[in-house]
């Protein structure tokens, strides 16, 4: 099994070398790496060229500022039929065994795409103390309408023919484009399964695209329109879980004292039972949101912003 790894890059010089190192050192050697430069103004291209000179599996292509969705679509077009496309953002880190583990899952021909567990970090990967929950069954649209278990595009690998049939990412969407695409994928009948192995380290950035929760809400609205086309709408339980996710994200991204509590209260109003459906996560979110309101900002950052 051969993987085509697609990395959209925009002004990624500060983190790209670590990302590429984690990919080129995979224990599964059958891979090519497509770095799609999206109009960078820093040393991103020079870094890719330097790595490519040492490792012929790494290729630089240009996309000239068309956005992350278009960059991923462009990179995926270089995947040969029969390959598996694995996406990674230019600031995230993979475990060395990630592709080998995914190859085992994808050896089952009924599996169209696969993902693992995500660790969230700020600073060094070893500092991660928050981890995603991987469901035991295949991904469903109702799951996606609550808290997306895939979490990030750095955590999904999909067969080339399945990706091509999906039409790729909606280039109009900058935030939550992965959610909208996953809904289309599952709605069309794709079998997407998770493995509990920790495979992806997600770098939380207070200034990245994923830190703009208001813009993420706009992208989610477009994803909900897609879900409605398949006959699904979020119920109160799904909304409660989504608000809990936003509260945790606001804490992790150090977005002030009020936002985490506002999202928490909204979640509890939608459905207390669903908010605490994962008891530890629900309780810690509530305690964190209340604590952040009272404790010194510096202590709040130390406890939650990671």
């Amino acid at each position: 099994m051969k993987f085509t790894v697609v990395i959209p890059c925009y002004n990624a010089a500060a983190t790209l070398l670590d990302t590429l190192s984690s990919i080129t050192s995979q224990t599964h050697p059958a891979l090519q790496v497509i770095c799609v430069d999206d109009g960078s103004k820093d040393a991103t291209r020079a870094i890719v060229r330097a790595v490519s000179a040492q490792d012929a599996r790494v290729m630089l292509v240009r996309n000239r500022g068309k956005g992350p969705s278009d960059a991923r679509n462009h990179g995926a077009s270089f995947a040969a039929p029969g390959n598996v496309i694995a996406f990674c953002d230019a600031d995230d880190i993979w475990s060395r065994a990630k592709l080998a583990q995914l190859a085992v899952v994808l050896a089952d021909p009924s599996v169209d795409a696969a993902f693992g567990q995500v660790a969230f970090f700020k600073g060094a990967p070893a500092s991660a103390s928050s981890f995603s929950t991987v469901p035991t069954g295949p991904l469903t649209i109702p799951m996606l309408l609550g808290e997306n278990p895939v979490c990030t595009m750095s955590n999904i690998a999909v067969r080339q023919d399945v990706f091509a049939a999906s039409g790729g990412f909606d280039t109009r969407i900058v935030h939550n484009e992965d959610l909208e695409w996953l809904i289309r994928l599952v709605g069309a009948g794709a079998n997407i399964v998770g493995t509990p192995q920790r495979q992806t380290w997600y770098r939380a950035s207070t200034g990245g695209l994923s830190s703009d929760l208001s813009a993420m809400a706009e992208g989610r609205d477009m994803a909900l329109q897609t879900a409605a086309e398949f006959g699904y709408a979020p119920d109160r339980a799904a909304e409660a879980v989504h608000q809990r996710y936003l509260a945790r994200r606001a804490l992790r991204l150090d977005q002030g004292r009020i936002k985490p509590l506002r999202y928490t209260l909204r979640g509890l109003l939608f459905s207390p039972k669903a908010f605490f459906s994962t008891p530890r996560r629900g309780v810690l979110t509530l305690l964190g949101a209340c604590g952040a309101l009272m404790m010194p900002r510096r202590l709040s950052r130390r406890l939650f912003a990671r």
Side-chain angles (χ1 to χ4, degrees):
M1 181 178 295
K2 185 171 183 179
F3 288 87
T4 296
V5 182
V6 176
I7 309 175
C9 308
Y10 178 72
N11 290 346
T15 58
L16 181 57
L17 195 57
D18 287 342
T19 298
L20 285 172
S21 178
S22 75
I23 293 170
T24 57
S25 63
Q26 290 291 302
T27 58
H28 184 92
L31 74 154
Q32 64 174 152
V33 184
I34 309 297
C35 296
V36 186
D37 179 64
D38 199 31
S40 297
K41 297 176 177 63
D42 63 0
T44 292
R45 291 189 296 277
I47 290 171
V48 177
R49 291 190 184 105
V51 174
S52 180
Q54 301 296 320
D55 191 332
R57 297 175 300 173
V58 179
M59 177 191 303
L60 172 67
V61 299
R62 305 286 292 275
N63 204 51
R64 300 189 182 279
K66 296 181 180 179
S69 293
D70 197 89
R72 292 190 185 101
N73 290 343
H74 185 59
S77 70
F78 288 85
N83 278 18
V84 173
I85 303 170
F87 295 97
C88 187
D89 290 342
D91 56 352
D92 293 336
I93 306 292
W94 282 359
S95 71
R96 292 185 68 244
K98 174 184 171 81
L99 294 184
Q101 292 166 350
L102 289 177
V104 172
V105 178
L106 290 161
D108 180 348
S110 72
V111 176
D112 298 304
F115 62 97
Q117 188 186 55
V118 179
F120 301 90
F121 76 97
K122 189 176 182 181
S127 70
S129 61
S130 180
F131 309 97
S132 67
T133 300
V134 181
T136 56
L139 205 60
T140 66
I141 292 179
M143 285 181 194
L144 292 167
L145 296 182
E147 186 170 9
N148 176 6
V150 179
C151 298
T152 168
M153 282 306 303
S154 297
N155 189 39
I156 187 76
V158 58
R159 298 188 192 276
Q160 184 274 339
D161 59 331
V162 175
F163 180 81
S166 76
F169 299 97
D170 187 332
T171 57
R172 299 171 301 168
I173 307 176
V174 177
H175 304 269
N176 265 324
E177 72 280 4
D178 54 336
L179 176 63
E180 194 276 338
W181 173 69
L182 285 167
I183 289 172
R184 272 191 284 123
L185 213 60
V186 173
N191 181 27
I192 305 177
V193 301
T195 174
Q197 294 151 315
R198 193 168 299 161
Q199 298 178 341
T200 302
W201 272 254
Y202 176 89
R203 189 187 304 270
S205 170
T206 56
L209 286 175
S210 60
S211 66
D212 190 338
L213 299 186
S214 297
M216 286 179 69
E218 295 177 10
R220 185 171 186 263
D221 286 343
M222 296 186 72
L224 293 182
Q225 293 175 27
T226 298
E229 295 173 6
F230 293 102
Y232 291 92
D235 57 16
R236 295 187 69 83
E239 288 290 4
V241 172
H242 179 64
Q243 294 298 320
R244 185 185 68 192
Y245 160 78
L246 291 175
R248 292 172 54 241
R249 197 159 188 81
L251 284 168
R252 191 179 298 131
L253 295 171
D254 187 28
Q255 297 209 339
R257 299 172 182 271
I258 302 301
K259 276 188 177 181
L261 185 61
R262 181 185 299 146
Y263 291 130
T264 296
L265 292 177
R266 285 178 183 169
L268 290 170
L269 285 172
F270 274 117
S271 172
K273 180 179 179 180
F275 192 92
F276 294 109
S277 58
T278 306
R280 182 176 183 274
R281 183 164 295 183
V283 169
L284 290 179
T285 302
L286 177 59
L287 292 176
C290 293
L293 193 65
M294 297 178 288
M295 67 180 59
R297 191 73 179 271
R298 181 176 296 179
L299 178 60
S300 175
R301 287 172 179 161
R302 182 179 299 176
L303 290 174
F304 306 123
R306 57 183 66 200

